[in-house]
Amino acid sequence: KTVWLAHLSYLIKQSRHEEAHALLKRALLSLATYKHAEIMSKFAQLEFEHGSPERARTLFDGLTTKYPKRLDLFFVYVDKEVKFGSFQTARTLLESKVDQGKLTDKQVKGLFKKWYRLEEQHGTEESVEHVKESARQYVQKSSE
């Protein structure tokens, strides 16, 4: 796995995207399926940093659709979006994830914590209050 990632990283940094995509396909064929999510996540991160953010978003969207309960992948997506994309897009991602409602209470707590910390760092006082209000509404809705 590390050899595949090192080779992918080299190709992306050299702006050889077509070769990198071909190599990714080969890597996914040879690696066990439980390693696919990690490889795809690392590749999407490389795309965000050295390639096309749009391609990275497409990869992350596919990952979060395929693994909706894997918040680790989702949080990496949000962090990369904040760092290389726009904070507004990250905010929209977090709001939509909360609205999906397919998560356990523990996962939702982590989601709100992440959202709250991001709003404290990058948002306004009103946006922090919006997160608090969304959390209150979620708790009220789930306790009914």
Side-chain angles (χ1 to χ4, degrees):
K1 177 182 80 171
T2 52
V3 174
W4 289 109
L5 286 173
H7 196 175
L8 283 169
S9 176
Y10 170 76
L11 290 175
I12 290 285
K13 287 177 183 174
Q14 297 295 319
S15 298
R16 294 160 56 184
H17 299 287
E18 298 303 319
E19 293 175 56
H21 283 275
L23 184 70
L24 177 66
K25 288 178 185 173
R26 282 189 25 226
L28 293 176
L29 288 174
S30 68
L31 290 170
T33 52
Y34 72 91
K35 294 182 180 178
H36 288 193
E38 188 178 350
I39 289 283
M40 293 292 289
S41 173
K42 297 281 189 200
F43 186 71
Q45 290 174 55
L46 287 169
E47 280 282 7
F48 248 121
E49 294 166 18
H50 305 287
S52 162
E54 206 48 52
R55 277 195 301 254
R57 285 185 190 99
T58 303
L59 288 168
F60 271 122
D61 285 337
L63 274 174
T64 55
T65 303
K66 188 172 183 180
Y67 305 102
K69 293 191 181 265
R70 293 273 312 262
L71 284 185
D72 58 326
L73 299 174
F74 181 74
F75 287 158
V76 169
Y77 183 16
V78 170
D79 289 339
K80 291 295 176 187
E81 197 61 66
V82 168
K83 189 172 182 182
F84 296 103
S86 73
F87 179 68
Q88 184 59 42
T89 308
R91 181 184 287 148
T92 306
L93 287 169
L94 287 161
E95 283 183 24
S96 65
K97 191 70 166 179
V98 168
D99 293 340
Q100 281 180 359
K102 298 178 181 175
L103 302 171
T104 65
D105 289 342
K106 186 176 180 180
Q107 288 174 317
V108 171
K109 179 182 175 186
L111 195 64
F112 275 119
K113 275 180 150 180
K114 176 78 167 176
W115 190 9
Y116 183 77
R117 279 195 305 268
L118 285 174
E119 290 293 350
E120 277 184 326
Q121 291 171 354
H122 303 282
T124 62
E125 198 62 41
E126 294 86 37
S127 62
V128 172
E129 285 302 316
H130 175 69
V131 174
K132 289 180 184 177
E133 185 58 38
S134 296
R136 284 188 205 104
Q137 288 174 358
Y138 180 84
V139 169
Q140 194 171 25
K141 189 172 75 173
S142 65
S143 63
E144 290 176 352

